[in-house]
Amino acid sequence: MSTVRIFNHHVKTPFLLLGLVEVVGIIGSVYAAMFVRFWSEEIPYEQVWLQTLVFSLVMLLAMISSGLYQARLREGGLGFFLRLSASYLMGTAGASVVFYIFPNLFFGRGILILTMIISFVFITIVRTNLYFFKPNIFKRRILVLGGGKRASALTELRRRVDQFGFVIMGFVHMRGEQDVVSPEKIIKIDTPLVQYVTKHDVDEIVLAIDDRRKGIPM
């Protein structure tokens, strides 16, 4: 999975794009809430750009703190809903503190409530569609070294909770080892390992060699 370096941290590109989409959605929710609230009046959209930007950043930080932008999540839809709800509680508390310190940034209780509802629905729809149509886009891409008995244990993960957060790209055949894993899952690499994992955006390598004394590619 490709990454982008931001402040000395490597951020996975899909999560970066998702964050941008959701921030834009939150900003749009503010303006949508203003339209609903003042639909029969002249709406001063240009006067609330700073308040909107600050609020969206506060909500983004709350979602990051709740773990909504990590690939190691083991929960399903219910877990996501609980995390998103928790992030909105945190975001509301954080925004309240900001509005208290800087009263000029507050855009009204009615608009705030409508914004929360609209953005919550928007983010839920975005996440649901992503996980439905692209279920593996945020999962860690794992390459397993070995195809013997140790490696075959990974193919026996039957519980859904054990399979959240990662996808196995394949099992690398190791010289001198008898493969137990199904042949269609075995990968025979004829290039340096580092070149292969770079080309295929491997996130992690799992060592599952039966006899490690026979040599491990360093």
Side-chain angles (χ1 to χ4, degrees), residues 106-114:
F106 188 50
F107 40 61
R109 183 178 303 175
I111 295 177
L112 178 61
I113 294 175
L114 286 173

Side-chain angles (χ1 to χ4, degrees), residues 83-155:
R83 283 179 181 269
L84 183 60
S85 300
S87 70
Y88 265 65
L89 290 176
M90 293 173 56
T92 302
S96 299
V97 173
V98 173
F99 294 150
Y100 180 79
I101 298 175
F102 304 101
N104 292 335
L105 295 179
F106 188 50
F107 40 61
R109 183 178 303 175
I111 295 177
L112 178 61
I113 294 175
L114 286 173
T115 299
M116 289 292 190
I117 296 174
I118 296 172
S119 61
F120 189 95
V121 173
F122 172 80
I123 292 175
T124 300
I125 293 175
V126 169
R127 295 278 183 139
T128 301
N129 280 276
L130 277 176
Y131 288 123
F132 181 78
F133 293 105
K134 295 286 186 179
N136 295 330
I137 189 172
F138 300 114
K139 293 184 177 182
R140 291 171 291 145
R141 296 164 62 87
I142 290 179
L143 183 68
V144 181
L145 291 188
K149 294 181 179 180
R150 290 179 181 269
S152 65
L154 294 174
T155 66

Side-chain angles (χ1 to χ4, degrees), residues 11-137:
V11 181
K12 298 182 185 300
T13 304
F15 285 111
L16 179 62
L17 295 177
L18 176 62
L20 291 175
V21 169
E22 292 180 342
V23 167
V24 171
I26 294 173
I27 293 174
S29 297
V30 176
Y31 289 107
M34 293 183 65
F35 176 79
V36 174
R37 182 70 174 80
F38 304 109
W39 66 274
S40 61
E41 305 173 20
E42 185 178 353
I43 305 174
Y45 290 120
E46 69 282 353
Q47 298 178 12
V48 296
W49 67 269
L50 181 58
Q51 295 95 314
T52 302
L53 180 61
V54 171
F55 174 74
S56 62
L57 292 178
V58 170
M59 294 303 301
L60 177 63
L61 290 175
M63 290 191 291
I64 293 174
S65 301
S66 299
L68 287 173
Y69 295 99
Q70 58 177 330
R72 297 177 181 270
L73 296 180
R74 292 170 61 88
E75 304 97 334
L78 178 59
F80 157 73
F81 182 81
L82 292 176
R83 283 179 181 269
L84 183 60
S85 300
S87 70
Y88 265 65
L89 290 176
M90 293 173 56
T92 302
S96 299
V97 173
V98 173
F99 294 150
Y100 180 79
I101 298 175
F102 304 101
N104 292 335
L105 295 179
F106 188 50
F107 40 61
R109 183 178 303 175
I111 295 177
L112 178 61
I113 294 175
L114 286 173
T115 299
M116 289 292 190
I117 296 174
I118 296 172
S119 61
F120 189 95
V121 173
F122 172 80
I123 292 175
T124 300
I125 293 175
V126 169
R127 295 278 183 139
T128 301
N129 280 276
L130 277 176
Y131 288 123
F132 181 78
F133 293 105
K134 295 286 186 179
N136 295 330
I137 189 172

